[in-house]
Amino acid sequence: MSMNSQGRPTVAATAATSDLPDTFTGNRALQIEEALLFEVGRDDVTGVDLDEPAEFTPRLGKLARQQPIDLPGLSEPETMRHYVRLSQKNYSIDSGLYPLGSCTMKHNPRLNEKMARLPGIGDVHPLQPLSTVGGAVELMAELGRWLLEMTGMTSVALSPKAGAHGELCGMMAIKAAIAAKGETRNIVLVPESAHGTNPATAALIGFKVVTVPARADGTVDPEAVKALLSPDVAAIMLTNPNTCGLFERDVVEIAAAIHAAGAYFYCDGANFNAIVGKAKVGELGVDAMHINLHKTFSTPHGGGGPGAGPVVLSERLAAFAPLPFIRMEGNDPVLVESEAALKPGETPFGRMTAFHGQMGMFVRALSYMLSHGSDGLQQASEDAVLNANYVRAGLRDLMSQPSGDRTCMHEVLFDDTFLEGSGVSTLDFAKAMIDEGYHPMTMYFPLVVHGAMLIEPTESESKASLDLFIATLRDLVMKAKAGDLERFEQAPRYAPRRRLDETRAARSPKLKWEKPEPWAEAAAAE
Ligand SMILES: *Cc1c(COP(=O)(O)O)cnc(C)c1O
């Protein structure tokens, strides 16, 4: 396979198996082939014309640069086109249906964006004197109030920057609570169906992870939890609704058993979208739960940031909420930023971040809540569940469901039994969806199901959009079952890149551009 100077496959290489003729430019219709700025720019030119400076005596002494700066010389339009073209390669919720299960890729209402850009909010700085940011503190307090109302919990930590960061925050609160009692519990129970961040979080702060086996439908059996309980168990990390799209019906019994054993119940709240306004997790016995504002409350998923994963804590853990936090004094929110400002009974375990969290995301999430109201949020959950079941009903005669034909929550899980003997793998099937203009659903997760395909349409899709999606999948399934493999083996045929070595990309990513050997040497070496 031919590679470019950075070891990336070139279009010619990735298109080699295509039945489409190569283009002269390597471009595909209006999808323009994109090299790195460093590959197209030349360091002997610059994008700006500046006169040679007049004669002067440099005063930098030995600080003066010894080597060339090695930045690509490009003009403003060349640079701008590069970034605009890169942005066009991102599939996003603004381009089409994004059915990634567990990730809740819902529409980001533009009203939220407008609110986040209001003068005074868009420019607020975490080091501004408190006397100038009363409104921002009040906004954070109001967001916290909504989160506590929706979850039935006691206190909230707003600073964590993502769901996984929220897990860390909640588990550190649990660790602090255990230490405060003088106990040395070191085991965390994690069901088989859990998201990988759950065991990773527990292990990161020194807990030993013990796996709870799943029932055939992917739910957790309270008896299996009870069998694992001991004085060493610190907590369970349970996702509800779980990653199979099912509500854990025995959650109250599990919580009671956990508490009776002196342990804590961490709930992974990534799937909160299904139950907002319907169930308060505090009433289910949860002690800590993170809320992915970018999932449930429609703030943008930003390629690793800026995210926000506030954590709500029960009365048992409230005192351990990290700094900074907001204390309500009557109707006045007071921002508590340092240990010096603590009152008796406030025992934060430390702090998660330098500042207060992602203000822009707080504004967007609160805007979403206020524009929906409590009835609107409730309806959003109901519609999310309705849409997932609409997809399920539209596909259940053709695609296999591991949990039988059971009503799901906000996401529907299929397995690959329906592809058996067809010669089409789960991966082939997902790649064929790309040719049809759909981001594939979550694949091969949860791990408890063979060839899992987890579809979460969210409440933001219209019936017409779901109908087209269902019709497309039905067409693909029938082609697969008929042994018509052309659309699968070669897929994606229309994408700018075909099948890449995703494992190698994840395991040994090239994160740094390396200057290639001069062309002459490279040519001689070939
Ligand atoms: C998304 C997700 C997480 C992690 O959240 P991030 O915000 O991506 O860090 C954890 N658990 C589950 C079940 C999730 O879906």
Side-chain angles (χ1 to χ4, degrees):
M1 187 185 273
S2 83
M3 302 279 181
N4 72 4
S5 62
Q6 298 303 303
R8 290 188 294 131
T10 59
V11 164
T14 59
T17 54
S18 170
D19 40 10
L20 306 170
D22 286 347
T23 58
F24 176 74
T25 51
N27 302 335
R28 292 183 162 216
L30 301 181
Q31 277 282 340
I32 295 183
E33 178 54 15
E34 197 61 40
L36 298 180
L37 281 182
F38 290 92
E39 291 170 322
V40 292
R42 288 164 39 198
D43 51 18
D44 56 336
V45 295
T46 73
V48 285
D49 287 331
L50 294 177
D51 293 336
E52 278 297 314
E55 199 62 24
F56 73 105
T57 314
R59 284 181 290 163
L60 287 169
K62 62 180 175 25
L63 293 177
R65 185 185 303 284
Q66 304 296 314
Q67 257 129 29
I69 192 166
D70 269 355
L71 286 178
L74 290 164
S75 66
E76 182 172 314
E78 284 171 318
T79 313
M80 195 182 68
R81 281 179 181 166
H82 172 75
Y83 287 108
V84 170
R85 292 198 295 243
L86 282 189
S87 77
Q88 290 168 337
K89 294 192 195 307
N90 281 338
Y91 190 81
S92 70
I93 189 63
D94 291 344
S95 5
L97 194 154
Y98 206 139
L100 212 49
S102 207
C103 291
T104 314
M105 308 297 284
K106 64 166 78 173
H107 172 63
N108 308 149
R110 290 308 177 262
L111 175 64
N112 304 352
E113 300 302 317
K114 201 169 165 184
M115 294 302 106
R117 284 165 179 73
L118 285 178
I121 286 183
D123 298 331
V124 75
H125 193 281
L127 291 178
Q128 259 174 262
L130 260 184
S131 61
T132 65
V133 290
V137 173
E138 203 163 319
L139 189 146
M140 288 164 66
E142 185 63 4
L143 174 69
R145 195 176 71 79
W146 277 73
L147 293 176
L148 293 177
E149 176 63 31
M150 283 184 264
T151 55
M153 301 287 267
T154 305
S155 79
V156 59
L158 291 172
S159 62
K161 302 273 171 85
H165 204 209
E167 287 175 36
L168 187 62
C169 176
M171 292 306 289
M172 286 173 82
I174 289 173
K175 199 170 178 158
I178 289 170
K181 285 196 267 181
E183 293 179 345
T184 54
R185 297 166 178 267
N186 66 342
I187 291 175
V188 171
L189 305 179
V190 181
E192 264 183 304
S193 62
H195 193 263
T197 47
N198 293 186
T201 298
L204 184 71
I205 51 174
F207 286 117
K208 185 167 164 262
V209 175
V210 172
T211 306
V212 184
R215 284 193 280 227
D217 68 355
T219 57
V220 176
D221 184 347
E223 297 311 320
V225 174
K226 286 177 198 165
L228 292 170
L229 288 176
S230 75
D232 286 333
V233 172
I236 188 169
M237 296 182 85
L238 189 77
T239 310
N240 200 17
N242 70 15
T243 59
C244 299
L246 301 176
F247 192 82
E248 294 281 0
R249 290 179 184 164
D250 299 310
V251 61
V252 172
E253 189 182 341
I254 293 172
I258 288 287
H259 290 153
Y264 293 89
F265 179 1
Y266 185 92
C267 180
D268 180 325
N271 293 337
F272 191 40
N273 200 44
I275 57 168
V276 173
K278 308 300 279 184
K280 290 192 173 188
V281 293
E283 291 170 8
L284 302 178
V286 169
D287 292 306
M289 180 177 91
H290 72 261
I291 297 165
N292 311 63
L293 296 187
H294 47 288
K295 294 181 181 173
T296 308
F297 296 108
S298 83
T299 69
H301 291 241
V311 175
V312 287
L313 300 168
S314 69
E315 212 175 335
R316 286 152 45 96
L317 292 178
F320 301 97
L323 289 166
F325 59 83
I326 292 171
R327 180 200 301 133
M328 291 307 292
E329 295 186 356
N331 284 331
D332 296 329
V334 176
L335 188 61
V336 181
E337 295 190 275
S338 68
E339 298 198 351
L342 294 176
K343 290 203 166 162
E346 293 171 343
T347 52
F349 67 74
R351 70 168 57 232
M352 299 293 293
T353 61
F355 295 119
H356 314 93
Q358 298 287 9
M359 190 64 195
M361 297 301 132
F362 298 163
V363 179
R364 287 173 176 85
L366 186 64
S367 164
Y368 183 77
M369 293 169 186
L370 293 174
S371 56
H372 279 68
S374 78
D375 54 343
L377 289 172
Q378 205 166 356
Q379 193 192 332
S381 302
E382 288 168 5
D383 289 350
V385 173
L386 180 65
N387 280 1
N389 280 288
Y390 187 75
V391 171
R392 188 179 63 82
L395 295 170
R396 65 179 162 190
D397 57 327
L398 287 179
M399 291 173 69
S400 40
Q401 299 170 72
S403 54
D405 195 18
R406 178 175 157 188
T407 309
C408 60
M409 297 294 289
H410 61 306
E411 54 196 356
V412 53
L413 179 61
F414 295 102
D415 62 22
D416 63 359
T417 315
F418 75 94
L419 289 173
E420 253 167 39
S422 69
V424 173
S425 70
T426 313
L427 186 73
D428 296 333
F429 192 82
K431 296 293 184 194
M433 287 172 68
I434 297 177
D435 278 338
E436 299 295 336
Y438 287 114
H439 191 288
M441 64 289 262
T442 292
M443 296 155 54
Y444 299 114
F445 175 82
L447 304 177
V448 285
V449 167
H450 194 271
M453 288 175 245
L454 186 61
I455 300 177
E456 180 176 2
T458 82
E459 69 278 12
S460 28
E461 293 306 317
S462 66
K463 182 170 175 298
S465 153
L466 295 181
D467 284 337
L468 182 59
F469 178 68
I470 293 168
T472 307
L473 290 199
R474 292 187 70 85
D475 183 61
L476 285 174
V477 176
M478 287 187 292
K479 288 285 183 316
K481 291 190 172 175
D484 181 356
L485 301 189
E486 199 197 353
R487 277 166 69 192
F488 301 97
E489 284 173 341
Q490 305 279 315
R493 293 177 295 172
Y494 301 107
R497 288 291 180 280
R498 312 287 305 272
R499 297 240 182 152
L500 302 177
D501 187 342
E502 291 163 15
T503 311
R504 190 154 70 94
R507 294 266 158 90
S508 46
K510 286 205 170 196
L511 301 176
K512 185 166 165 273
W513 180 76
E514 274 157 28
K515 201 172 183 182
E517 311 162 47
W519 295 116
E521 278 176 42
E526 262 179 20

